[in-house]
Amino acid sequence: MPPKPFNARFGSADTPLVLDVRRQPRFDESPRLLACAQRCALEEVAAFAISHAPRAANVYCVYGHNVSKEAVVTLRAAGWDAHRVAGGLEGGQDGEDDVP
């Protein structure tokens, strides 16, 4: 069964963790941060995963490509129900993503 859409999972008892895994330079240059997000650098995701109880998580990076994909793989290997946010924080990348 596919996960619920990102915004449909908030405001309920099973609200997932939102994890911002953008690389540091992209994080530093951006004025955007989801208010509900917790910051975790990609290189710290493995340690984060084993130091916290597994749970549902929505993971985002800039465009929803490799960085968030790598973080999701790491979290899932540690037993988390992790999913990438389609399009990342920027809603996809021009010429590469067909995000409505």
Side-chain angles (χ1 to χ4, degrees), residues 2-56:
K4 292 180 187 176
F6 180 70
N7 60 349
R9 298 185 76 189
F10 292 91
S12 64
D14 65 343
T15 297
L17 170 70
V18 178
L19 204 57
D20 180 328
V21 295
R22 291 175 288 172
R23 295 194 190 278
Q24 195 64 48
R26 297 306 297 265
F27 179 81
D28 291 343
E29 71 187 21
S30 176
R32 295 184 177 142
L33 175 68
L34 294 179
C36 59
Q38 181 169 340
R39 174 81 175 122
C40 185
L42 180 61
E43 56 274 4
E44 297 170 5
V45 171
F48 180 90
I50 61 173
S51 66
H52 293 80
R55 61 183 279 201

Side-chain angles (χ1 to χ4, degrees), residues 79-92:
W80 289 63
D81 177 22
H83 301 275
R84 287 187 295 161
V85 174
L89 190 61
E90 297 296 324

